[in-house]
Structure formats: structure tokens, C-alpha cells
Amino acid sequence: MMDRKALAAAYDRSADSYDERFQALQEVKYRAALPHLPSVPQGALCLDAGGGTGLFQAFLHEQNHALSRARWLLLDMSLGMLRAARKRSPLFVAADLSYPPLRPETVALAVAFTSLLEDLGRTLRQMQLLLVPGGSLVASFLAPEAKAALAEVGSLRQMAGPVEAGQDQLYVFRKV
């Protein structure tokens, strides 16, 4: 069992150097996701689950992607990462992905790049509950953990994947 407070503290300590150390690695995942990102209705809420310093939103802006104009909420349990994300994400909340403080069926799109870690079944159920009917979850998992993740997706329909994304495998799921 992962100590979530220790994990948050570790990310707090690495927040100032996170982008420098991990941006290139994360961008491999984002590029793999680009052709699989669904469109969302104007004004719909999108969730960057475990979004850290907001690199994904910055990437979307750099690509001038239509989703860069969506209403994004960045959720992360590390206060240090959220402080770094303020310059990229106007909406952010400190919370555990396994216990997101959002109402069910409020999110059109959720992305989670190697952030669904502990208590995978519960966390995936929570992501599914947050999605509006027809909403999508785009998630990457470390390749050795992807098979276990697929066993936990419940009634989400797999729309794409596995897509190679560096050390990860990326999947797209839709809530039916």
C-alpha cells in the first residue's frame, strides 16, 4: 500500500525541478494521445487528473489544439505541484484521485498520464463516475502495469489502445 502523504511530499520536493526533469518524457505521452483526443462541447469541463505542474495544458496551447480552449480543472494531491501549475491552469484543486471532490457526471474528458497508481479499481471507478454519458478517459499506464489496469476498467468501453507512449501504454475509454 502506497503512503499517499509520503508520495505527495516527494512530489512537493520535486515540484521546482519537475518540468526540467520530466517535460520531454511527458510530451512523448501527450504526442501519442493527440490523435485520440475527442472533441468536447464548448464550455464542457475537462479534468487533468494528477496533472502536476500543468504540462499537458501547456502542451495543448503550444500545439494550438482545440482542447486548449476547453475549461480545464487540474487535480493533484501535491501542493508544490499545484503552486507550479498556477501559471498554466486557472482552475486547480488539491485532492486524491481516489476521492475526487467533484459531482458525478460533470466531466466530458478526463486525462490521466501515469497518474492512476494506487487502488486502481477505486480510482478508475471514480473517474468513470465523473464522466458524463459519452465522456472519455484518456489514460496512460506504465507498460508492465497496463494489463492490470485493463482488468479494472469496469464498464468503460475501450476505444483505442494500447498505443505506445514511451515507457507507457495509452488507452482511450468511453463511458456508455
Side-chain angles (χ1 to χ4, degrees):
M1 190 80 168
M2 185 182 307
D3 180 341
R4 294 176 184 188
K5 286 184 180 181
L7 181 63
Y11 276 105
D12 287 345
R13 287 188 302 275
S14 72
D16 290 339
S17 62
Y18 184 86
D19 290 0
E20 181 180 317
R21 293 175 54 209
F22 296 105
Q23 184 170 3
L25 182 67
Q26 291 298 92
E27 283 188 4
V28 170
K29 300 169 197 179
Y30 305 157
R31 287 189 192 290
L34 270 181
H36 305 285
L37 293 172
S39 60
V40 299
Q42 186 173 357
L45 181 64
C46 298
L47 176 67
D48 190 350
T53 64
L55 283 174
F56 182 63
Q57 289 176 62
F59 176 80
L60 290 174
H61 282 286
E62 288 169 10
Q63 300 298 312
N64 197 27
H65 194 279
L67 284 173
S68 69
R69 294 174 287 287
R71 191 168 54 115
W72 283 93
L73 171 65
L74 190 147
L75 190 150
D76 202 285
M77 67 181 181
S78 165
L79 294 177
M81 298 294 255
L82 290 174
R83 276 191 287 280
R86 285 186 296 200
K87 63 184 176 258
R88 296 180 175 134
S89 181
L91 297 173
F92 53 89
V93 65
D96 186 324
L97 295 180
S98 296
Y99 302 93
L102 300 170
R103 290 189 186 139
E105 297 189 351
T106 56
V107 173
L109 169 64
V111 297
F113 296 100
T114 326
S115 59
L116 305 178
L117 302 169
E118 186 70 14
D119 200 357
L120 194 54
R122 176 179 175 64
T123 306
L124 281 166
R125 284 190 300 277
Q126 290 300 311
M127 293 297 110
Q128 180 177 349
L129 285 173
L130 295 178
L131 292 174
V132 298
S136 297
L137 169 64
V138 177
S140 75
F141 305 95
L142 291 172
E145 299 168 2
K147 188 173 182 179
L150 289 178
E152 299 286 350
V153 297
S155 63
L156 291 172
R157 178 182 294 151
Q158 184 176 334
M159 304 303 289
V163 174
E164 295 304 316
Q167 65 187 15
D168 285 16
Q169 288 184 343
L170 181 99
Y171 295 86
V172 179
F173 304 101
R174 180 167 292 140
K175 181 175 181 175
V176 289

